[in-house]
Amino acid sequence: MNTWAIDGGEPLRGEIGVSGAKNSITKLLVASLLSDQPSHFSNVPNIGDRDITQEMCAAVGAQFASKNGNSLQVHTPQITSNIITKELGGRNRLAIMLLGPLLHRTGRAVIPAAAGGDQIGPRPVDFHLQGVQRMGARVEVKDGDYVIEADGLRGAEIHLEYPSVTSTENLLMAASMARGRTVIHNAAIEPEVVDLVSYLQKMGAIIDYQVDRTFVIDGVEKLSGASHRLLPDRIVAASLGAAAVATRGDVFVRNARQQDMLTFLNTLRRVGGKFEVQEDGIRFYHDGPLQAIHLETSVHPGFMTDWQSPFLLLLTQAEGMSVVHETVFEDRFGYVKALQDMGAEVALYDRCLGHRCRFASSSYKHSAVIKGPSQLRSAEVIVPDLRAGFTYLIAAIMAEGKSRVHGIEHITRGYEDLEASLRSLGARIQAIQ
Ligand code: EPU
């Protein structure tokens, strides 16, 4: 485990840039495998999940060339293997995304059933598998792997029980080259999904996007390579924005894009956090007391679940009782214990504090009540997952005294140049192992 020592008590101030979205590059690289021609990506983030995805794609035949750190060419003239090993599949949750390209190019995909990644709920892949089964694929579980086979996928009518991001993306890739028309109802419409659709369209796909969460895809026989610039990472941008306000600082986040963050910005304004949208980014700053609010996470265009933990941390500085109801992942408050140890007053409930959600009759503690403001104190903490990890770093920066944060490698999966960036904003960080 990598550990940082953080000497807190200083506000974050300065300027920082965000590059392309983690949840975009990981799918774009996989989508490039649909074609035997080269694709070129720019604004590519240098993060751990990009490296893992590249390794996974290379293991099935992709060849990479990089002009500089943020630009990447990928070319997969041939699929050389349709098997993802358990070791690779266990590193994050992305192996299942390869099923469309592997089925189209080889008729078979062997993908480990057990995935790695953040433990923020059970995170099943039933929507992915049922979707391709409707498109004619056969799915078996053998020796801990999904063995998926198809003699050509065909278009189908698919209704997702919940607008899941990766299953929508997976089925969009599979449908792009299926025979005939696929209709995906109740689909996810997150900006990262639309980024993938834009790239697929450049490759030659025909994908209509209707107002009621429906994608209509007319399959084509062949896709070509394409060039694509990634959308900026709105999770990183919002995390930094929340951090600026929570530490009573002032940070200009270059490349943060207002249109992808409308709900975040409205919520921040309701709390009393300040922001200024400029041509090339957004300035976030603290100026005056913060107020408690009620907040529910949701699918796009709602308040993202990935914004939840840095925002809850911000709410520990607001006057009064705030409520956060997590409705996307049932088990996403595991990090709260450490914040309580640092002096935050947060109570968790299994009831829905807000509208009745899918987890209403479960025993998962998916609602939180936060009483603020609290002065945080330093602590020694172990990072449980990517987003919670970033929140711990900010909590340590807010706290008086020296904290130690273990498990930094979880965070660098999704945040580029983290140490240098936070240092440039004035954080006193020392990597100690
Ligand atoms: N779900 C199912 N069955 C499925 C798929 C999903 O029941 O087959 C459920 C999940 O259990 C969850 C809900 O649907 O309750 C939403 O899950 P979704 O599929 O939308 O999440 P995901 O695709 O696994 C992506 C991002 C997450 C982000 C969520 C929500 C990637 C690689 N991951 O996950 O990002 O939180 O969408 O926006 O795109 C992160 O970046 O830290 C991260 C966790």
Side-chain angles (χ1 to χ4, degrees), residues 321-338:
M321 298 267 214
S322 292
V323 174
V324 177
H325 180 205
E326 169 62 53
T327 76
V328 180
F329 288 111
E330 53 273 67
D331 200 9
R332 212 165 192 179
F333 281 126
Y335 68 91
V336 160
K337 167 83 179 62

Side-chain angles (χ1 to χ4, degrees), residues 186-254:
N186 201 28
I189 52 165
E190 268 63 8
E192 294 76 14
V193 178
V194 178
D195 205 39
L196 172 67
V197 169
S198 313
Y199 169 62
L200 289 169
Q201 185 179 55
K202 290 178 189 171
M203 295 175 84
I206 304 173
I207 303 175
D208 286 314
Y209 167 27
Q210 299 179 348
V211 283
D212 58 347
R213 292 194 174 277
T214 302
F215 283 112
V216 179
I217 307 106
D218 284 331
V220 296
E221 259 177 41
K222 200 169 162 51
L223 292 174
S224 59
S227 285
H228 191 74
R229 183 176 172 82
L230 272 72
L231 88 167
D233 197 312
R234 67 199 172 109
I235 304 178
V236 174
S239 306
L240 289 164
V245 178
T247 60
R248 299 173 170 255
D250 188 336
V251 176
F252 178 66
V253 183
R254 210 169 350 96

Side-chain angles (χ1 to χ4, degrees), residues 22-23 27 123-127 164-166 306 328 387:
K22 164 179 99 61
N23 290 345
K27 325 310 168 41
R123 306 187 79 180
V125 291
D126 50 336
F127 302 166
S164 144
V165 171
T166 41
D306 303 286
V328 180
R387 305 299 166 197

Side-chain angles (χ1 to χ4, degrees), residues 22-24 26-27 49 93-94 118 120-129 161-167 169 188 190 234-235 298-299 304-306 327-330 332 358-359 385-387 413:
K22 164 179 99 61
N23 290 345
S24 196
T26 42
K27 325 310 168 41
D49 267 12
R93 312 196 55 76
L94 285 157
D118 293 334
I120 52 183
R123 306 187 79 180
V125 291
D126 50 336
F127 302 166
H128 304 241
L129 298 175
E161 219 175 284
Y162 187 79
S164 144
V165 171
T166 41
S167 38
E169 293 169 329
E190 268 63 8
R234 67 199 172 109
I235 304 178
S298 188
V299 294
M304 283 188 95
T305 172
D306 303 286
T327 76
V328 180
F329 288 111
E330 53 273 67
R332 212 165 192 179
R358 292 173 297 149
F359 313 132
D385 68 71
L386 170 61
R387 305 299 166 197
R413 265 183 46 215

